[in-house]
Every structure is written in structure tokens, then in C-alpha cells.
Amino acid sequence: MPLPLPPLPGRPRPGWAPLLPLLLLLLLVGPARPISFQLPGKARKCLREEIHRDTLVTGEYEITAPPGSSSGPSANLKITDSAGHILYAKEDATKGKFAFTTEDYDMFEACFESKLPVGTGRMPDQLVTLDMKHGVEAKNYEEIAKVEKLKPLEVELRRLEDLSESIVNDFAYMKKREEEMRDTNESTNTRVLYFSIFSMCCLIGLATWQVFYLRRFFKAKKLIE
């Protein structure tokens, strides 16, 4: 009976073959980079992002005072949803973290408002750095590994599982939105068709009335028999 040949070097084992697409996808989806921008004096800048429901959102921010400033950084931070509900607020924010879980798919807004007086142009603006994560990126897998006593491979598999679930949920949401848009388009087309038929009937009725009216008018004036 011939012995099975060992796997060739550089060729993945059969057990790893189903995981290769997820591994490649995980490599392509790199960690999100923090956002940095300049905040002028007495100015307000906001960042908006759409986030799905039941999603963990974490963030870390830091506001740096301009060089040469006698006072420290002075800005207010407020995070709200589209209904105006305040999810996080901090006055005289300099550095900190925040976390919340979304209740519904919505547009969330993080606003930084400077309290420094407007400079003469020689004083640089405040530097704001915001690192906001949600979903798989917001989970602390190192802490999960310590609590559940997972091995590095198990942690990576858990991360792949969460990432694949997030992608499936995104596709399901896109499919649902596509169905809603299709239903809206079909309903709009039906309404436009009925309105067009009604408009044609009105035009035909008006034209018929004009013909009979003009004919009676001309007969009254004895222009036609």
C-alpha cells in the first residue's frame, strides 16, 4: 500500500484552505488610522459617520494647545445622533476616551468646539486627534483572550469570525436597502402611471369640451351651420 505523499513546501494544508479567503480579507482590512485636523479659535468642526445598530463604538481623542500659548487647550466635545441625543459630552476636553453602543442604524456626529479667542494669525490652531473605532475594530481581543484563556490561534479565529459576521451583516443590510429602494421605485412608477392616465383623461375631456363649446359658439354666431 503506497504511503501518502507529504504536502509540498509552500502549499497550504487542506485544513487551512477554507480560511485563506478570510485571512486575506483580514490582511486587506487594516487598522483604522486616527484623524487629525486643525481647530481654529472660536470655531466648530464636526465629523459624521453612519453606524449600524447594536454596534460597539469606542474612541480616543487628544487636543494639543498651540505652541507658545500661555493657556492649555480649550475645546468642548459632544457626540450626538441624528435626533440630537447626547451620547458623550466633555467640556474643556484635553485627552480622554469614550464608548457607547448604538441602538439603531443612524448618523452619528462628533463635534469639537474651540473656546480659544481668535488669534492674530501668528498663533497656530489647536491640533485635534480622534481615533474612533466601531464593530470588530472596537473589540479588545487581548482582554478577551485573558478572560477566556484563549490561545493566539483561537483569538485570531475569533477575530475572523467576528469580521465575517460583520461583513455578512453589511451585505444583509445592503440587500434590505436594495429591496426597500426597489419597492419605492415600483410604487413611484405605479403612481406616475396612474397620474399619467388621469392627466390624459383630463386632457381628452378638456379637448372634447372645447370642440363642442366652439362648435356651439360658431353656430350661435352663424359662422357655421
Side-chain angles (χ1 to χ4, degrees), residues 136-145:
V136 180
E137 298 177 353
K139 291 186 178 181
N140 189 348
Y141 288 94
E142 295 181 359
E143 188 67 23
I144 295 176

Side-chain angles (χ1 to χ4, degrees), residues 15-191:
W16 284 91
L19 298 178
L20 282 180
L22 291 177
L23 289 173
L24 293 176
L25 183 60
L26 184 62
L27 293 176
L28 292 176
V29 181
R33 297 181 179 179
I35 300 174
S36 300
F37 57 91
Q38 299 292 335
L39 184 64
K42 291 295 182 181
R44 185 171 182 265
K45 289 189 176 182
C46 299
L47 302 174
R48 297 180 180 178
E49 186 173 2
E50 294 182 357
I51 304 177
H52 292 278
R53 63 178 303 178
D54 298 330
T55 301
L56 175 64
V57 181
T58 61
E60 185 174 358
Y61 61 90
E62 182 177 3
I63 304 174
T64 306
S69 176
S70 57
S71 59
S74 180
N76 297 335
L77 170 61
K78 183 184 293 185
I79 301 177
T80 58
D81 56 11
S82 60
H85 300 145
I86 299 177
L87 303 176
Y88 179 83
K90 179 69 175 179
E91 294 185 358
D92 297 328
T94 56
K95 184 178 182 180
K97 299 179 180 180
F98 59 86
F100 60 90
T101 301
T102 60
E103 296 181 357
D104 199 358
Y105 181 86
D106 204 347
M107 176 73 72
F108 296 89
E109 184 178 60
C111 294
F112 292 86
E113 184 176 2
S114 175
K115 299 173 61 177
L116 293 179
V118 180
T120 59
R122 292 172 296 181
M123 180 180 293
D125 304 329
Q126 297 183 97
L127 177 62
V128 178
T129 303
L130 176 63
D131 187 9
M132 193 169 177
K133 302 177 181 179
H134 56 84
V136 180
E137 298 177 353
K139 291 186 178 181
N140 189 348
Y141 288 94
E142 295 181 359
E143 188 67 23
I144 295 176
K146 292 180 181 179
V147 173
E148 300 184 9
K149 298 180 180 180
L150 300 178
K151 297 180 180 179
L153 181 58
E154 294 174 339
V155 175
E156 196 66 24
L157 291 176
R158 174 71 66 84
R159 187 177 180 183
L160 287 171
E161 181 182 1
D162 294 341
L163 179 60
S164 60
E165 182 179 359
S166 175
I167 295 174
V168 170
N169 292 336
D170 289 340
F171 276 109
Y173 176 78
M174 293 172 61
K175 182 180 179 181
K176 180 181 177 182
R177 290 288 297 174
E178 189 272 336
E179 292 176 354
E180 293 177 353
M181 294 177 64
R182 186 180 66 245
D183 295 340
T184 303
N185 291 335
E186 292 177 355
S187 175
T188 303
N189 293 335
T190 303
R191 293 179 181 180

